Each structure stands twice: as structure tokens, then as C-alpha cells.
Short mmCIF file of all heavy atoms in Angstrom, two decimals:
data_model
loop_
_atom_site.label_atom_id
_atom_site.label_comp_id
_atom_site.label_asym_id
_atom_site.label_seq_id
_atom_site.Cartn_x
_atom_site.Cartn_y
_atom_site.Cartn_z
N MET U 1 -13.36 25.12 -24.48
CA MET U 1 -13.00 23.92 -23.76
C MET U 1 -13.52 23.90 -22.37
O MET U 1 -13.36 25.06 -21.79
CB MET U 1 -11.44 23.63 -23.82
CG MET U 1 -11.12 22.21 -23.39
SD MET U 1 -9.42 22.02 -23.68
CE MET U 1 -9.03 20.86 -22.64
N LYS U 2 -14.29 22.93 -21.88
CA LYS U 2 -14.74 23.07 -20.63
C LYS U 2 -13.71 22.78 -19.47
O LYS U 2 -12.74 22.11 -19.77
CB LYS U 2 -15.82 21.92 -20.44
CG LYS U 2 -17.01 22.33 -19.48
CD LYS U 2 -18.14 21.46 -19.67
CE LYS U 2 -19.12 21.84 -18.71
NZ LYS U 2 -20.22 20.88 -18.42
N GLU U 3 -13.83 23.56 -18.37
CA GLU U 3 -12.91 23.53 -17.30
C GLU U 3 -13.07 22.24 -16.41
O GLU U 3 -14.15 21.83 -16.17
CB GLU U 3 -13.04 24.71 -16.49
CG GLU U 3 -11.76 25.25 -15.86
CD GLU U 3 -11.97 26.56 -15.23
OE1 GLU U 3 -12.20 27.55 -15.90
OE2 GLU U 3 -11.91 26.65 -13.99
N CYS U 4 -11.94 21.70 -16.05
CA CYS U 4 -11.95 20.53 -15.13
C CYS U 4 -12.53 20.88 -13.79
O CYS U 4 -12.16 21.93 -13.12
CB CYS U 4 -10.62 19.82 -14.94
SG CYS U 4 -10.68 18.35 -13.86
N LYS U 5 -13.49 20.11 -13.22
CA LYS U 5 -13.97 20.43 -11.90
C LYS U 5 -13.32 19.76 -10.84
O LYS U 5 -13.85 19.06 -9.85
CB LYS U 5 -15.53 19.98 -11.94
CG LYS U 5 -16.36 20.78 -12.89
CD LYS U 5 -17.81 20.23 -12.84
CE LYS U 5 -18.82 20.92 -13.74
NZ LYS U 5 -20.10 20.38 -13.78
N ILE U 6 -12.00 19.65 -10.83
CA ILE U 6 -11.26 19.02 -9.93
C ILE U 6 -11.62 19.25 -8.39
O ILE U 6 -11.74 18.17 -7.67
CB ILE U 6 -9.69 19.09 -10.16
CG1 ILE U 6 -8.85 18.12 -9.34
CG2 ILE U 6 -9.33 20.57 -9.98
CD1 ILE U 6 -7.42 18.04 -9.82
N ASN U 7 -11.80 20.46 -8.16
CA ASN U 7 -12.07 20.75 -6.69
C ASN U 7 -13.42 20.22 -6.25
O ASN U 7 -13.55 19.53 -5.22
CB ASN U 7 -11.89 22.17 -6.39
CG ASN U 7 -10.42 22.65 -6.39
OD1 ASN U 7 -9.57 21.90 -6.06
ND2 ASN U 7 -10.24 23.78 -6.93
N GLU U 8 -14.44 20.37 -7.05
CA GLU U 8 -15.78 19.87 -6.91
C GLU U 8 -15.73 18.27 -6.78
O GLU U 8 -16.28 17.59 -5.97
CB GLU U 8 -16.80 20.10 -8.04
CG GLU U 8 -17.50 21.44 -7.79
CD GLU U 8 -18.38 21.75 -8.94
OE1 GLU U 8 -19.20 20.86 -9.23
OE2 GLU U 8 -18.12 22.79 -9.59
N ASN U 9 -15.01 17.68 -7.71
CA ASN U 9 -14.85 16.27 -7.74
C ASN U 9 -14.10 15.74 -6.49
O ASN U 9 -14.66 14.67 -5.91
CB ASN U 9 -14.05 15.79 -8.99
CG ASN U 9 -14.73 16.14 -10.35
OD1 ASN U 9 -15.87 16.25 -10.36
ND2 ASN U 9 -13.94 16.19 -11.38
N LYS U 10 -13.06 16.43 -6.09
CA LYS U 10 -12.47 15.94 -4.78
C LYS U 10 -13.29 15.94 -3.62
O LYS U 10 -13.23 15.02 -2.73
CB LYS U 10 -11.23 16.80 -4.61
CG LYS U 10 -9.91 16.52 -5.36
CD LYS U 10 -8.83 17.39 -4.91
CE LYS U 10 -7.54 16.99 -5.55
NZ LYS U 10 -6.53 17.84 -5.20
N LYS U 11 -14.24 16.88 -3.56
CA LYS U 11 -15.22 16.96 -2.46
C LYS U 11 -16.16 15.71 -2.32
O LYS U 11 -16.53 15.27 -1.32
CB LYS U 11 -16.09 18.07 -2.46
CG LYS U 11 -15.34 19.38 -2.09
CD LYS U 11 -16.21 20.54 -2.01
CE LYS U 11 -15.58 21.85 -2.22
NZ LYS U 11 -16.30 22.95 -2.91
N ARG U 12 -16.39 15.14 -3.57
CA ARG U 12 -17.32 14.04 -3.68
C ARG U 12 -16.59 12.66 -3.69
O ARG U 12 -17.14 11.58 -3.46
CB ARG U 12 -18.10 13.99 -5.00
CG ARG U 12 -19.29 15.09 -5.03
CD ARG U 12 -20.14 14.84 -6.06
NE ARG U 12 -19.61 15.00 -7.48
CZ ARG U 12 -19.65 16.03 -8.16
NH1 ARG U 12 -20.45 17.00 -7.86
NH2 ARG U 12 -19.02 16.14 -9.35
N CYS U 13 -15.30 12.65 -3.86
CA CYS U 13 -14.41 11.45 -3.94
C CYS U 13 -14.34 10.73 -2.61
O CYS U 13 -13.97 11.38 -1.54
CB CYS U 13 -13.07 11.88 -4.55
SG CYS U 13 -12.04 10.48 -4.84
N ASN U 14 -14.63 9.44 -2.68
CA ASN U 14 -14.57 8.69 -1.38
C ASN U 14 -13.09 7.83 -1.43
O ASN U 14 -13.04 7.02 -0.39
CB ASN U 14 -15.76 7.75 -1.29
CG ASN U 14 -15.76 6.60 -2.21
OD1 ASN U 14 -15.13 6.69 -3.30
ND2 ASN U 14 -16.41 5.49 -1.89
N CYS U 15 -12.39 8.10 -2.28
CA CYS U 15 -11.08 7.17 -2.43
C CYS U 15 -10.17 7.51 -1.18
O CYS U 15 -9.93 8.73 -0.92
CB CYS U 15 -10.44 7.63 -3.75
SG CYS U 15 -8.84 6.66 -3.77
N SER U 16 -9.80 6.48 -0.51
CA SER U 16 -8.97 6.61 0.67
C SER U 16 -7.48 6.49 0.31
O SER U 16 -6.70 6.49 1.18
CB SER U 16 -9.54 5.68 1.67
OG SER U 16 -9.32 4.28 1.23
N TYR U 17 -7.14 6.26 -0.86
CA TYR U 17 -5.80 6.12 -1.26
C TYR U 17 -5.09 7.51 -1.45
O TYR U 17 -5.20 8.01 -2.54
CB TYR U 17 -5.55 5.27 -2.54
CG TYR U 17 -4.16 4.82 -2.73
CD1 TYR U 17 -3.43 4.05 -1.84
CD2 TYR U 17 -3.59 5.37 -3.96
CE1 TYR U 17 -2.24 3.74 -2.17
CE2 TYR U 17 -2.18 5.01 -4.30
CZ TYR U 17 -1.48 4.21 -3.33
OH TYR U 17 -0.16 3.90 -3.60
N GLU U 18 -4.49 7.98 -0.46
CA GLU U 18 -4.01 9.41 -0.35
C GLU U 18 -2.94 9.75 -1.39
O GLU U 18 -2.92 10.75 -1.94
CB GLU U 18 -3.65 9.76 1.05
CG GLU U 18 -4.82 9.95 1.96
CD GLU U 18 -5.85 10.91 1.55
OE1 GLU U 18 -5.51 11.97 0.87
OE2 GLU U 18 -7.01 10.79 1.97
N PRO U 19 -1.85 8.82 -1.55
CA PRO U 19 -0.89 9.31 -2.43
C PRO U 19 -1.29 9.37 -3.95
O PRO U 19 -0.30 9.89 -4.67
CB PRO U 19 0.20 8.13 -2.28
CG PRO U 19 -0.38 7.03 -1.51
CD PRO U 19 -1.72 7.50 -1.08
N CYS U 20 -2.40 9.00 -4.35
CA CYS U 20 -2.84 8.99 -5.77
C CYS U 20 -2.81 10.35 -6.34
O CYS U 20 -3.53 11.26 -5.83
CB CYS U 20 -4.07 8.29 -6.03
SG CYS U 20 -4.52 8.23 -7.77
N GLY U 21 -2.22 10.67 -7.46
CA GLY U 21 -2.27 11.90 -8.11
C GLY U 21 -3.48 12.11 -9.07
O GLY U 21 -3.61 13.24 -9.57
N LYS U 22 -4.39 11.10 -9.03
CA LYS U 22 -5.48 11.17 -10.02
C LYS U 22 -6.70 11.65 -9.23
O LYS U 22 -7.85 11.82 -9.96
CB LYS U 22 -5.70 9.83 -10.69
CG LYS U 22 -4.64 9.47 -11.67
CD LYS U 22 -4.96 8.08 -12.19
CE LYS U 22 -3.75 7.49 -13.05
NZ LYS U 22 -2.64 7.21 -12.22
N LYS U 23 -6.69 11.76 -7.99
CA LYS U 23 -7.87 12.22 -7.28
C LYS U 23 -8.41 13.43 -7.66
O LYS U 23 -7.80 14.49 -7.83
CB LYS U 23 -7.42 12.34 -5.81
CG LYS U 23 -8.62 12.10 -4.78
CD LYS U 23 -7.96 12.00 -3.38
CE LYS U 23 -9.09 12.20 -2.26
NZ LYS U 23 -9.85 10.94 -2.12
N GLY U 24 -9.74 13.36 -8.11
CA GLY U 24 -10.47 14.59 -8.62
C GLY U 24 -10.38 14.75 -10.20
O GLY U 24 -11.05 15.40 -10.74
N ILE U 25 -9.51 13.91 -10.87
CA ILE U 25 -9.29 14.00 -12.26
C ILE U 25 -10.00 12.70 -12.84
O ILE U 25 -9.33 11.63 -13.11
CB ILE U 25 -7.85 14.00 -12.69
CG1 ILE U 25 -7.09 15.12 -12.03
CG2 ILE U 25 -7.75 14.25 -14.23
CD1 ILE U 25 -5.51 15.13 -12.09
N CYS U 26 -11.29 12.76 -12.64
CA CYS U 26 -12.17 11.49 -12.95
C CYS U 26 -11.81 10.83 -14.31
O CYS U 26 -11.84 9.61 -14.37
CB CYS U 26 -13.63 11.83 -12.75
SG CYS U 26 -14.00 12.70 -11.25
N CYS U 27 -11.63 11.55 -15.30
CA CYS U 27 -11.33 11.02 -16.66
C CYS U 27 -10.09 10.13 -16.54
O CYS U 27 -10.09 9.02 -17.09
CB CYS U 27 -11.23 12.01 -17.72
SG CYS U 27 -10.17 13.49 -17.32
N ASP U 28 -9.01 10.59 -15.87
CA ASP U 28 -7.83 9.74 -15.78
C ASP U 28 -8.05 8.58 -14.78
O ASP U 28 -7.56 7.57 -15.13
CB ASP U 28 -6.70 10.51 -15.14
CG ASP U 28 -6.13 11.50 -16.31
OD1 ASP U 28 -6.55 11.45 -17.42
OD2 ASP U 28 -5.27 12.39 -15.90
N CYS U 29 -8.87 8.81 -13.77
CA CYS U 29 -9.08 7.76 -12.84
C CYS U 29 -9.93 6.64 -13.49
O CYS U 29 -9.45 5.54 -13.27
CB CYS U 29 -9.89 8.43 -11.60
SG CYS U 29 -10.41 7.31 -10.42
N ILE U 30 -10.89 6.88 -14.18
CA ILE U 30 -11.69 5.91 -14.83
C ILE U 30 -10.87 5.24 -15.75
O ILE U 30 -10.99 3.98 -15.92
CB ILE U 30 -13.01 6.50 -15.41
CG1 ILE U 30 -14.02 7.02 -14.26
CG2 ILE U 30 -13.74 5.46 -16.29
CD1 ILE U 30 -15.08 7.88 -14.79
N GLN U 31 -10.30 5.91 -16.69
CA GLN U 31 -9.38 5.21 -17.70
C GLN U 31 -8.40 4.29 -17.14
O GLN U 31 -8.27 3.15 -17.53
CB GLN U 31 -8.75 6.34 -18.51
CG GLN U 31 -8.39 5.92 -20.00
CD GLN U 31 -6.97 5.18 -19.96
OE1 GLN U 31 -6.16 5.54 -19.25
NE2 GLN U 31 -6.83 4.33 -20.90
N TYR U 32 -7.72 4.75 -16.03
CA TYR U 32 -6.72 3.87 -15.35
C TYR U 32 -7.35 2.68 -14.81
O TYR U 32 -6.73 1.45 -15.03
CB TYR U 32 -6.10 4.71 -14.19
CG TYR U 32 -5.13 3.96 -13.25
CD1 TYR U 32 -4.01 3.67 -13.76
CD2 TYR U 32 -5.64 3.54 -12.06
CE1 TYR U 32 -2.98 2.97 -12.91
CE2 TYR U 32 -4.79 2.91 -11.21
CZ TYR U 32 -3.50 2.49 -11.68
OH TYR U 32 -2.59 1.78 -10.81
N HIS U 33 -8.39 2.71 -14.11
CA HIS U 33 -8.92 1.51 -13.42
C HIS U 33 -9.75 0.68 -14.56
O HIS U 33 -9.51 -0.65 -14.45
CB HIS U 33 -9.91 1.93 -12.29
CG HIS U 33 -9.26 2.28 -11.15
ND1 HIS U 33 -8.42 1.40 -10.38
CD2 HIS U 33 -9.07 3.58 -10.57
CE1 HIS U 33 -7.88 1.94 -9.35
NE2 HIS U 33 -8.23 3.30 -9.39
N PHE U 34 -10.40 1.14 -15.42
CA PHE U 34 -11.11 0.45 -16.40
C PHE U 34 -10.26 -0.33 -17.27
O PHE U 34 -10.56 -1.43 -17.67
CB PHE U 34 -12.17 1.28 -17.09
CG PHE U 34 -13.18 0.57 -17.83
CD1 PHE U 34 -13.99 -0.36 -17.03
CD2 PHE U 34 -13.45 0.54 -19.15
CE1 PHE U 34 -15.10 -1.12 -17.60
CE2 PHE U 34 -14.40 -0.27 -19.77
CZ PHE U 34 -15.26 -1.08 -18.94
N SER U 35 -9.12 0.20 -17.63
CA SER U 35 -8.11 -0.57 -18.45
C SER U 35 -7.45 -1.74 -17.67
O SER U 35 -6.91 -2.62 -18.43
CB SER U 35 -6.97 0.39 -18.93
OG SER U 35 -6.23 0.74 -17.85
N SER U 36 -7.61 -1.78 -16.41
CA SER U 36 -7.22 -2.93 -15.63
C SER U 36 -8.37 -3.90 -15.18
O SER U 36 -8.13 -4.62 -14.30
CB SER U 36 -6.39 -2.51 -14.38
OG SER U 36 -5.51 -1.52 -14.69
N GLY U 37 -9.60 -3.66 -15.73
CA GLY U 37 -10.69 -4.39 -15.38
C GLY U 37 -11.28 -4.12 -13.94
O GLY U 37 -11.77 -4.91 -13.29
N GLN U 38 -11.13 -2.87 -13.60
CA GLN U 38 -11.53 -2.35 -12.37
C GLN U 38 -12.47 -1.13 -12.49
O GLN U 38 -12.54 -0.59 -13.54
CB GLN U 38 -10.30 -1.81 -11.56
CG GLN U 38 -9.29 -2.83 -11.25
CD GLN U 38 -8.09 -2.43 -10.60
OE1 GLN U 38 -7.87 -1.17 -10.52
NE2 GLN U 38 -7.32 -3.31 -10.05
N PHE U 39 -13.09 -0.78 -11.47
CA PHE U 39 -13.92 0.47 -11.39
C PHE U 39 -13.27 1.53 -10.32
O PHE U 39 -12.53 0.84 -9.52
CB PHE U 39 -15.34 0.26 -10.96
CG PHE U 39 -16.26 -0.38 -11.97
CD1 PHE U 39 -17.11 -1.48 -11.56
CD2 PHE U 39 -16.28 0.02 -13.25
CE1 PHE U 39 -17.97 -2.02 -12.52
CE2 PHE U 39 -17.06 -0.56 -14.20
CZ PHE U 39 -17.94 -1.62 -13.83
N PRO U 40 -13.43 2.73 -10.46
CA PRO U 40 -12.91 3.61 -9.48
C PRO U 40 -13.46 3.46 -8.21
O PRO U 40 -14.53 2.91 -7.97
CB PRO U 40 -13.10 5.08 -10.07
CG PRO U 40 -14.11 4.84 -11.02
CD PRO U 40 -14.17 3.40 -11.57
N ALA U 41 -12.96 4.11 -7.11
CA ALA U 41 -13.32 4.08 -5.81
C ALA U 41 -14.77 4.37 -5.56
O ALA U 41 -15.53 3.70 -4.77
CB ALA U 41 -12.33 4.90 -4.83
N CYS U 42 -15.24 5.38 -6.26
CA CYS U 42 -16.59 5.91 -6.04
C CYS U 42 -17.68 4.98 -6.46
O CYS U 42 -18.86 5.20 -6.24
CB CYS U 42 -16.64 7.28 -6.65
SG CYS U 42 -16.28 7.25 -8.51
N PHE U 43 -17.36 3.90 -7.24
CA PHE U 43 -18.20 2.86 -7.51
C PHE U 43 -18.61 1.92 -6.41
O PHE U 43 -19.42 1.03 -6.52
CB PHE U 43 -17.75 2.08 -8.72
CG PHE U 43 -18.00 2.69 -10.04
CD1 PHE U 43 -17.62 4.05 -10.40
CD2 PHE U 43 -18.65 2.06 -11.11
CE1 PHE U 43 -17.81 4.58 -11.55
CE2 PHE U 43 -18.82 2.55 -12.33
CZ PHE U 43 -18.41 3.91 -12.63
N PHE U 44 -17.87 2.09 -5.29
CA PHE U 44 -17.96 1.17 -4.20
C PHE U 44 -18.45 1.93 -2.85
O PHE U 44 -17.98 3.09 -2.74
CB PHE U 44 -16.56 0.50 -3.90
CG PHE U 44 -16.18 -0.31 -5.05
CD1 PHE U 44 -15.33 0.21 -6.06
CD2 PHE U 44 -16.38 -1.75 -5.08
CE1 PHE U 44 -14.82 -0.60 -6.95
CE2 PHE U 44 -15.92 -2.62 -6.09
CZ PHE U 44 -15.22 -1.95 -7.06
N PRO U 45 -19.21 1.29 -1.93
CA PRO U 45 -19.47 1.88 -0.84
C PRO U 45 -18.17 2.03 0.10
O PRO U 45 -17.06 1.24 -0.28
CB PRO U 45 -20.27 0.76 -0.02
CG PRO U 45 -20.34 -0.38 -0.90
CD PRO U 45 -19.61 -0.13 -2.10
N SER U 46 -18.00 2.92 0.96
CA SER U 46 -16.74 3.39 1.51
C SER U 46 -16.06 2.19 2.15
O SER U 46 -14.87 2.11 2.14
CB SER U 46 -16.91 4.57 2.54
OG SER U 46 -17.31 5.66 1.79
N ASP U 47 -16.82 1.32 2.96
CA ASP U 47 -16.15 0.22 3.70
C ASP U 47 -15.50 -0.70 2.61
O ASP U 47 -14.38 -1.29 2.89
CB ASP U 47 -17.05 -0.53 4.55
CG ASP U 47 -18.32 -1.06 3.93
OD1 ASP U 47 -18.83 -0.47 2.93
OD2 ASP U 47 -18.55 -2.23 4.23
N VAL U 48 -16.10 -0.88 1.49
CA VAL U 48 -15.56 -1.82 0.43
C VAL U 48 -14.35 -1.13 -0.31
O VAL U 48 -13.38 -1.79 -0.56
CB VAL U 48 -16.58 -2.27 -0.48
CG1 VAL U 48 -16.05 -3.14 -1.70
CG2 VAL U 48 -17.80 -2.98 0.16
N GLU U 49 -14.56 0.19 -0.46
CA GLU U 49 -13.53 0.95 -1.07
C GLU U 49 -12.06 0.85 -0.42
O GLU U 49 -11.09 0.73 -1.01
CB GLU U 49 -14.06 2.38 -1.22
CG GLU U 49 -12.89 3.22 -1.89
CD GLU U 49 -11.73 3.73 -1.06
OE1 GLU U 49 -12.06 3.90 0.12
OE2 GLU U 49 -10.60 3.90 -1.47
N LYS U 50 -12.22 0.83 0.99
CA LYS U 50 -11.02 0.73 1.76
C LYS U 50 -10.21 -0.66 1.65
O LYS U 50 -9.15 -0.68 2.11
CB LYS U 50 -11.45 1.02 3.26
CG LYS U 50 -11.76 2.39 3.54
CD LYS U 50 -12.12 2.55 4.98
CE LYS U 50 -12.44 4.08 5.31
NZ LYS U 50 -13.63 4.56 4.76
N THR U 51 -10.96 -1.59 0.99
CA THR U 51 -10.00 -2.85 0.78
C THR U 51 -9.27 -2.77 -0.44
O THR U 51 -8.37 -3.74 -0.60
CB THR U 51 -11.05 -4.02 0.60
OG1 THR U 51 -11.71 -3.81 -0.64
CG2 THR U 51 -12.10 -4.15 1.82
N TYR U 52 -9.38 -1.71 -1.19
CA TYR U 52 -8.58 -1.52 -2.38
C TYR U 52 -8.86 -2.65 -3.47
O TYR U 52 -8.16 -2.69 -4.45
CB TYR U 52 -7.10 -1.28 -2.17
CG TYR U 52 -6.77 -0.13 -1.28
CD1 TYR U 52 -5.79 -0.11 -0.48
CD2 TYR U 52 -7.61 1.04 -1.48
CE1 TYR U 52 -5.60 1.04 0.33
CE2 TYR U 52 -7.29 2.22 -0.75
CZ TYR U 52 -6.31 2.08 0.33
OH TYR U 52 -5.95 3.26 0.97
N ASP U 53 -9.95 -3.41 -3.29
CA ASP U 53 -10.17 -4.46 -4.22
C ASP U 53 -11.25 -3.73 -5.16
O ASP U 53 -12.51 -3.74 -4.82
CB ASP U 53 -10.78 -5.74 -3.63
CG ASP U 53 -11.24 -6.73 -4.72
OD1 ASP U 53 -11.07 -6.47 -6.02
OD2 ASP U 53 -11.69 -7.84 -4.44
N ARG U 54 -10.83 -3.17 -6.27
CA ARG U 54 -11.70 -2.41 -7.20
C ARG U 54 -12.11 -3.25 -8.31
O ARG U 54 -12.51 -2.63 -9.48
CB ARG U 54 -10.88 -1.12 -7.56
CG ARG U 54 -10.35 -0.26 -6.41
CD ARG U 54 -10.22 1.23 -6.60
NE ARG U 54 -9.50 1.95 -5.85
CZ ARG U 54 -9.78 2.21 -4.64
NH1 ARG U 54 -10.90 1.72 -4.10
NH2 ARG U 54 -9.08 3.03 -3.80
N SER U 55 -11.90 -4.52 -8.27
CA SER U 55 -12.24 -5.34 -9.51
C SER U 55 -13.73 -5.30 -9.78
O SER U 55 -14.62 -5.06 -8.89
CB SER U 55 -11.86 -6.71 -9.20
OG SER U 55 -12.61 -7.32 -8.12
N ILE U 56 -14.02 -5.47 -11.02
CA ILE U 56 -15.52 -5.59 -11.49
C ILE U 56 -16.22 -6.64 -10.78
O ILE U 56 -17.34 -6.61 -10.41
CB ILE U 56 -15.56 -5.55 -13.05
CG1 ILE U 56 -15.04 -4.37 -13.63
CG2 ILE U 56 -17.07 -5.86 -13.53
CD1 ILE U 56 -14.85 -4.24 -15.21
N GLU U 57 -15.42 -7.84 -10.59
CA GLU U 57 -16.04 -8.93 -9.89
C GLU U 57 -16.43 -8.51 -8.57
O GLU U 57 -17.47 -8.86 -8.01
CB GLU U 57 -14.90 -10.04 -9.74
CG GLU U 57 -14.63 -10.75 -11.02
CD GLU U 57 -13.58 -10.07 -11.92
OE1 GLU U 57 -13.22 -9.00 -11.51
OE2 GLU U 57 -13.15 -10.68 -12.88
N ASN U 58 -15.61 -7.87 -7.75
CA ASN U 58 -16.00 -7.27 -6.48
C ASN U 58 -17.19 -6.40 -6.44
O ASN U 58 -18.02 -6.32 -5.51
CB ASN U 58 -14.77 -6.60 -5.73
CG ASN U 58 -14.99 -6.50 -4.15
OD1 ASN U 58 -15.65 -7.39 -3.61
ND2 ASN U 58 -14.50 -5.42 -3.68
N PHE U 59 -17.16 -5.60 -7.54
CA PHE U 59 -18.43 -4.68 -7.69
C PHE U 59 -19.71 -5.47 -7.81
O PHE U 59 -20.69 -5.32 -7.06
CB PHE U 59 -18.23 -3.81 -8.91
CG PHE U 59 -19.48 -2.91 -9.15
CD1 PHE U 59 -19.71 -1.75 -8.62
CD2 PHE U 59 -20.53 -3.35 -10.02
CE1 PHE U 59 -20.84 -0.99 -8.78
CE2 PHE U 59 -21.55 -2.64 -10.34
CZ PHE U 59 -21.86 -1.46 -9.65
N ILE U 60 -19.77 -6.55 -8.60
CA ILE U 60 -20.86 -7.45 -8.90
C ILE U 60 -21.24 -8.21 -7.61
O ILE U 60 -22.43 -8.23 -7.21
CB ILE U 60 -20.52 -8.36 -9.99
CG1 ILE U 60 -20.48 -7.56 -11.39
CG2 ILE U 60 -21.69 -9.44 -10.16
CD1 ILE U 60 -19.98 -8.46 -12.42
N LYS U 61 -20.18 -8.60 -6.92
CA LYS U 61 -20.42 -9.39 -5.63
C LYS U 61 -21.02 -8.42 -4.58
O LYS U 61 -21.96 -8.90 -3.89
CB LYS U 61 -19.00 -9.92 -5.12
CG LYS U 61 -19.08 -11.03 -4.17
CD LYS U 61 -17.63 -11.48 -3.83
CE LYS U 61 -17.01 -10.53 -2.82
NZ LYS U 61 -15.57 -10.92 -2.57
N THR U 62 -20.56 -7.24 -4.49
CA THR U 62 -21.04 -6.31 -3.54
C THR U 62 -22.56 -5.97 -3.85
O THR U 62 -23.43 -5.92 -3.02
CB THR U 62 -20.14 -5.02 -3.41
OG1 THR U 62 -18.95 -5.38 -3.20
CG2 THR U 62 -20.72 -4.09 -2.38
N TYR U 63 -22.79 -5.69 -5.16
CA TYR U 63 -24.16 -5.41 -5.61
C TYR U 63 -25.15 -6.50 -5.33
O TYR U 63 -26.24 -6.45 -4.82
CB TYR U 63 -24.13 -5.07 -7.11
CG TYR U 63 -25.52 -4.79 -7.62
CD1 TYR U 63 -25.96 -3.42 -7.43
CD2 TYR U 63 -26.31 -5.68 -8.19
CE1 TYR U 63 -27.34 -3.12 -7.86
CE2 TYR U 63 -27.61 -5.32 -8.64
CZ TYR U 63 -28.04 -3.97 -8.41
OH TYR U 63 -29.32 -3.72 -8.81
N GLN U 64 -24.66 -7.89 -5.53
CA GLN U 64 -25.51 -9.02 -5.37
C GLN U 64 -25.79 -9.27 -3.86
O GLN U 64 -26.86 -9.53 -3.50
CB GLN U 64 -24.83 -10.19 -5.90
CG GLN U 64 -24.91 -10.23 -7.36
CD GLN U 64 -24.07 -11.44 -7.96
OE1 GLN U 64 -23.10 -11.96 -7.29
NE2 GLN U 64 -24.40 -11.85 -9.22
N LYS U 65 -24.80 -8.76 -2.96
CA LYS U 65 -25.06 -8.93 -1.60
C LYS U 65 -25.83 -7.78 -0.96
O LYS U 65 -26.82 -7.97 -0.14
CB LYS U 65 -23.56 -8.90 -0.90
CG LYS U 65 -23.38 -9.78 0.29
CD LYS U 65 -22.00 -10.02 0.53
CE LYS U 65 -21.54 -9.60 1.81
NZ LYS U 65 -20.11 -9.79 1.97
N ARG U 66 -25.60 -6.59 -1.45
CA ARG U 66 -26.32 -5.40 -0.82
C ARG U 66 -27.28 -4.70 -1.62
O ARG U 66 -28.07 -3.86 -1.17
CB ARG U 66 -25.20 -4.21 -0.53
CG ARG U 66 -24.09 -4.80 0.36
CD ARG U 66 -23.15 -3.69 0.67
NE ARG U 66 -22.02 -4.10 1.53
CZ ARG U 66 -21.10 -3.39 1.99
NH1 ARG U 66 -21.22 -1.99 1.96
NH2 ARG U 66 -20.20 -3.90 2.72
N GLY U 67 -27.37 -5.01 -2.91
CA GLY U 67 -28.21 -4.21 -3.79
C GLY U 67 -27.75 -2.84 -4.03
O GLY U 67 -26.61 -2.66 -3.66
N PRO U 68 -28.50 -2.00 -4.59
CA PRO U 68 -28.04 -0.64 -4.90
C PRO U 68 -27.68 0.19 -3.47
O PRO U 68 -28.61 0.22 -2.66
CB PRO U 68 -29.13 0.01 -5.75
CG PRO U 68 -30.24 -0.88 -5.72
CD PRO U 68 -29.77 -2.19 -5.15
N TRP U 69 -26.54 0.80 -3.26
CA TRP U 69 -26.17 1.42 -2.10
C TRP U 69 -26.17 2.98 -2.38
O TRP U 69 -25.87 3.71 -1.46
CB TRP U 69 -24.89 0.97 -1.50
CG TRP U 69 -23.76 0.99 -2.44
CD1 TRP U 69 -22.96 2.03 -2.76
CD2 TRP U 69 -23.29 -0.10 -3.30
NE1 TRP U 69 -22.09 1.87 -3.74
CE2 TRP U 69 -22.19 0.45 -4.13
CE3 TRP U 69 -23.70 -1.35 -3.66
CZ2 TRP U 69 -21.68 -0.11 -5.12
CZ3 TRP U 69 -23.02 -2.03 -4.60
CH2 TRP U 69 -22.01 -1.50 -5.30
N TRP U 70 -26.12 3.36 -3.65
CA TRP U 70 -25.91 4.79 -3.94
C TRP U 70 -27.24 5.52 -3.92
O TRP U 70 -28.28 5.08 -3.88
CB TRP U 70 -25.33 4.85 -5.37
CG TRP U 70 -26.01 4.19 -6.40
CD1 TRP U 70 -27.05 4.63 -7.18
CD2 TRP U 70 -25.80 2.67 -6.68
NE1 TRP U 70 -27.51 3.50 -8.05
CE2 TRP U 70 -26.71 2.42 -7.81
CE3 TRP U 70 -24.92 1.76 -6.32
CZ2 TRP U 70 -26.76 1.15 -8.38
CZ3 TRP U 70 -24.98 0.55 -6.93
CH2 TRP U 70 -25.82 0.24 -7.97
S1 LIG S 101 -9.95 5.46 -7.41
FE1 LIG S 101 -7.70 4.95 -7.99
S2 LIG S 101 -7.10 6.38 -9.66
FE2 LIG S 101 -8.90 7.18 -8.54
S3 LIG S 101 -8.27 8.58 -7.14
FE3 LIG S 101 -8.47 6.48 -6.12
S4 LIG S 101 -6.46 5.50 -6.24
FE4 LIG S 101 -6.55 7.25 -7.69
#
């Protein structure tokens, strides 16, 4: 079984929601958000991520406005 890269993941994670226990556990994070019609924080530029609007609609809106930012 492959080991979770939680510490490496945390270094790359731009999520500003500090109390979340899923930070760095990307499999749980993606599952949690996608099941609610959302993407995780890392799908958004940092200024948009801070609004906590993680909806797929907001992702599309941001992409249409800015193009690829990653
Ligand atoms: S994106 Fe959501 S689930 Fe993932 S670490 Fe941030 S608040 Fe937690």
C-alpha cells in the first residue's frame, strides 16, 4: 500500500480554511467537495479560494474571466 504524502500535500495546499481536518488528505478533500458540486481550494487562484465559494460554477466563471492561471 502506498503511503499518504500528507506533509508534501500540505506544503502545496493553498486552502485558507484553517480548522479543516482534511488539509493534505487530498482523497478525502476531493471526495468531500465533489459530492457537493464543488472543487477543492487548490482548483482556484488564492484570491478566489479565500471567498470559500468552491462551486463548479465559480470555477467556470473564474476560468472564463482569467483563462488558465495554473
Ligand atoms: S479544500 Fe475543503 S476539504 Fe480541502 S482542506 Fe480546504 S476546507 Fe478542507
Side-chain angles (χ1 to χ4, degrees):
M1 195 169 157
K2 214 166 177 195
E3 211 172 291
C4 181
K5 296 177 177 177
I6 187 167
N7 291 326
E8 269 178 63
N9 293 342
K10 275 185 177 177
K11 283 183 208 157
R12 286 196 296 255
C13 181
N14 70 340
C15 183
S16 62
Y17 187 66
E18 289 303 328
C20 181
K22 294 177 188 65
K23 209 170 164 75
I25 311 169
C26 304
C27 48
D28 287 352
C29 175
I30 290 167
Q31 204 275 327
Y32 171 77
H33 283 290
F34 200 56
S35 67
S36 311
Q38 302 173 344
F39 287 139
C42 58
F43 278 51
F44 297 89
S46 291
D47 60 320
V48 179
E49 180 283 321
K50 286 182 180 64
T51 68
Y52 298 144
D53 179 356
R54 308 209 193 291
S55 65
I56 293 170
E57 290 85 351
N58 195 33
F59 175 85
I60 294 167
K61 201 175 74 186
T62 306
Y63 182 84
Q64 285 173 333
K65 218 158 119 186
R66 299 185 186 191
W69 58 84
W70 52 88

